[in-house]
């Protein structure tokens, strides 16, 4: 299996290349570096693997939720590579990626920051099947939701959210990223069919709605 996967939607930039049984990985804690570092790291990892983009069986990206600009950077990159190489693509979610760091604990609650006191949340079982699809909750709603879970569960979150809810905050996503992408390898499709996972409106749209007296996300 050969693939190139990128994550520009989460709080850390990630690039993963698999060529056969070999993996190359890059992670940077500053996701805002995506527009500058993404393509140089893609090029470096491919060169180190002795591969070209056309050697990939498919391309993958994190489709959200997360930074709207970041989501667009990753998806545009993957769609362009897939189009040029005539290869399919696959998407994984940022919450799914967090959940894969728990090594299949059941159930797993994944949480990441959604800005302005909001949180994105999803729940997965031990086989990484969605028990609760990604949605946005306020901090108070999240606290209430967690308090109502009776059975033991794993709680994993990004660094902007983890402290406030006493969650595990993973730092190395290499294995989780590979596992998440490879779990969806049989679901590849034409790259044009990839859709971003936008749960909330962009901040600019929310500001405009507020100015016009509209409410809601």
């Amino acid at each position: 299996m050969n693939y190139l996967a990128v994550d520009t939607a989460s709080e850390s930039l990630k690039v993963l290349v698999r060529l056969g049984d070999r993996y190359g990985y890059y992670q940077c804690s500053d996701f805002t570096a995506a527009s500058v570092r993404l393509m140089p790291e893609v090029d470096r990892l491919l060169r180190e693997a002795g591969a070209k983009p056309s050697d990939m069986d498919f391309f993958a990206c994190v489709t959200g939720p997360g930074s709207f600009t970041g989501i667009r950077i990753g998806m545009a990159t993957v769609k362009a590579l897939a189009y040029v190489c005539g290869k399919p693509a696959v998407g994984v979610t940022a919450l799914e990626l967090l959940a894969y760091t728990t090594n299949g604990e059941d159930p797993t609650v994944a949480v990441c920051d959604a800005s302005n006191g909001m949180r994105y949340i999803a729940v997965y079982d031990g086989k990484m099947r969605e028990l609760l699809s990604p949605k946005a909750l306020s901090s108070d709603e999240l606290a209430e939701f967690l308090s109502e879970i009776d059975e033991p569960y794993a709680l994993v979150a990004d660094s902007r959210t983890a402290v406030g809810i006493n969650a595990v905050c993973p730092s190395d996503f290499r294995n989780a990223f590979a596992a998440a992408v490879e779990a969806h390898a049989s679901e590849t499709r034409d790259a044009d069919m990839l859709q971003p996972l936008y749960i909330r409106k962009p901040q600019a749209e929310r500001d405009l709605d507020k100015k016009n007296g509209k409410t809601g996300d």
Side-chain angles (χ1 to χ4, degrees):
M1 183 186 296
N2 303 336
Y3 63 79
L4 165 66
V6 303
D7 176 12
T8 59
S10 307
E11 64 178 352
S12 62
L13 167 65
K14 308 172 192 69
V15 182
L16 175 67
V17 171
R18 177 176 177 178
L19 188 70
D21 295 329
R22 293 179 293 142
Y23 291 86
Y25 183 64
Y26 170 80
Q27 181 175 321
C28 172
S29 59
D30 180 11
F31 83 92
T32 62
S35 61
V36 176
R37 294 303 314 158
L38 177 58
M39 291 313 298
E41 293 304 328
V42 165
D43 181 63
R44 179 181 66 83
L45 290 176
L46 286 173
R47 283 189 288 104
E48 289 180 354
K52 305 182 297 296
S54 58
D55 293 325
M56 301 297 104
D57 298 321
F58 64 90
F59 297 91
C61 67
V62 173
T63 58
S67 160
F68 288 89
T69 299
I71 291 171
R72 289 194 292 270
I73 290 172
M75 294 198 70
T77 299
V78 161
K79 286 186 175 185
L81 288 168
Y83 175 78
V84 170
C85 298
K87 300 296 176 68
V90 68
V92 301
T93 73
L95 291 163
E96 194 176 10
L97 180 52
L98 277 167
Y100 266 95
T101 66
T102 65
N103 297 315
E105 292 190 48
D106 185 13
T108 291
V109 180
V111 184
C112 63
D113 183 64
S115 74
N116 296 320
M118 300 295 290
R119 305 287 185 258
Y120 295 124
I121 179 175
V123 182
Y124 304 86
D125 68 10
K127 295 183 178 180
M128 291 298 120
R129 294 173 298 200
E130 283 185 2
L131 300 178
L132 175 69
S133 298
K135 63 185 301 183
L137 298 176
S138 68
S139 297
D140 290 341
E141 288 172 333
L142 174 61
E144 181 178 358
F145 174 83
L146 294 175
S147 70
E148 292 177 350
I149 302 178
D150 296 326
E151 61 184 306
Y153 62 93
L155 180 59
V156 61
D158 63 9
S159 65
R160 290 168 289 187
T161 308
V163 175
I165 58 175
N166 195 30
V168 172
C169 178
S171 58
D172 185 352
F173 286 83
R174 178 189 178 278
N175 293 337
F177 200 10
V181 170
E182 290 165 22
H184 290 284
S186 63
E187 303 168 9
T188 56
R189 68 199 81 170
D190 188 292
D192 286 341
M193 296 179 64
L194 281 181
Q195 295 294 322
L197 178 58
Y198 293 148
I199 298 176
R200 304 183 71 204
K201 293 180 181 179
Q203 185 62 51
E205 288 188 27
R206 297 200 299 271
D207 290 344
L208 182 61
D209 286 347
K210 184 177 180 180
K211 181 179 179 180
N212 294 332
K214 297 179 181 179
T215 60
D217 283 338

